[in-house]
Amino acid sequence: MQLESDILVRFGFDFNFPGPIESVQRYLRVLGHDKNRSVQVICEQLAKFQLNYSVFLKYKPSQIAACIVIIAANILKKQEMKAAAQESANLGSPKTRAPFFDKCKTTGLWLLNTQLWNNADVLKSTGYTIEMIKEPLYLMTQCLKEGSKPN
């Protein structure tokens, strides 16, 4: 095994490439979600999911990671809101709607909240504005939408 490793090193093969997971972990620290195990699991699943689509090969792993973190934060927030709504329904209190999510009037789909990415600290730490990751973010949401339909 050592001989094989030496041969590969001599030919210039490098097996330590940065993938989206390394950037995801950094972005989660920047956004303050690094202690939340649920969002970490969602990010891992999204990182695995995007490997099924060759369209993401044209983007940097850090761009993919930014999209993964935004989508995971939205999924987590949606789950929290659903649980809170269920709890308030069980307690008999009036239904309150948080302004975090809105539905598109034409498609009926939930609109993605990107406000967590729109601040100077995130831009300084990640190097990406929401405009810079708009295209891969859209593609990832479309792949998720298509991939979640039953066969």
Side-chain angles (χ1 to χ4, degrees), residues 2-149:
Q2 184 61 40
L3 178 61
E4 289 175 1
S5 176
D6 291 342
I7 291 170
L8 291 173
V9 169
R10 290 219 186 236
F11 283 122
F13 287 94
D14 183 14
F15 295 106
N16 296 322
F17 66 94
I21 292 296
E22 291 79 12
S23 296
V24 162
Q25 292 167 346
R26 190 178 64 146
Y27 297 163
L28 287 175
R29 276 193 305 273
V30 168
L31 296 172
H33 289 292
D34 58 323
K35 303 286 189 237
N36 189 330
R37 183 69 187 136
S38 297
V39 78
Q40 290 174 354
V41 169
I42 295 169
C43 286
E44 290 170 8
Q45 294 301 317
L46 289 172
K48 290 177 188 176
F49 176 82
Q50 64 88 27
L51 293 173
N52 295 318
Y53 298 91
S54 62
V55 69
F56 297 113
L57 291 174
K58 67 181 180 178
Y59 302 106
K60 294 178 184 178
S62 56
Q63 288 176 301
I64 298 299
C67 299
I68 287 170
V69 168
I70 291 170
I71 292 171
N74 274 269
I75 290 171
L76 182 68
K77 189 68 171 177
K78 179 90 169 77
Q79 290 173 345
E80 289 172 356
M81 287 177 51
K82 193 174 185 180
Q86 181 68 31
E87 186 176 317
S88 69
N90 290 342
L91 296 174
S93 59
K95 198 174 186 181
T96 59
R97 188 173 163 273
F100 191 83
F101 284 101
D102 287 317
K103 278 191 175 184
C104 178
K105 302 235 187 282
T106 57
T107 64
L109 298 174
W110 293 100
L111 298 174
L112 197 62
N113 185 336
T114 58
Q115 291 304 311
L116 70 136
W117 206 265
N118 286 335
N119 68 56
D121 292 335
V122 173
L123 175 60
K124 187 173 116 180
S125 298
T126 65
Y128 293 120
T129 63
I130 199 68
E131 288 297 318
M132 297 167 86
I133 58 172
K134 185 188 291 187
E135 183 180 335
L137 185 59
Y138 176 76
L139 286 172
M140 191 170 289
T141 57
Q142 291 303 311
C143 289
L144 281 167
K145 181 178 132 190
E146 293 301 316
S148 64
K149 289 183 181 176

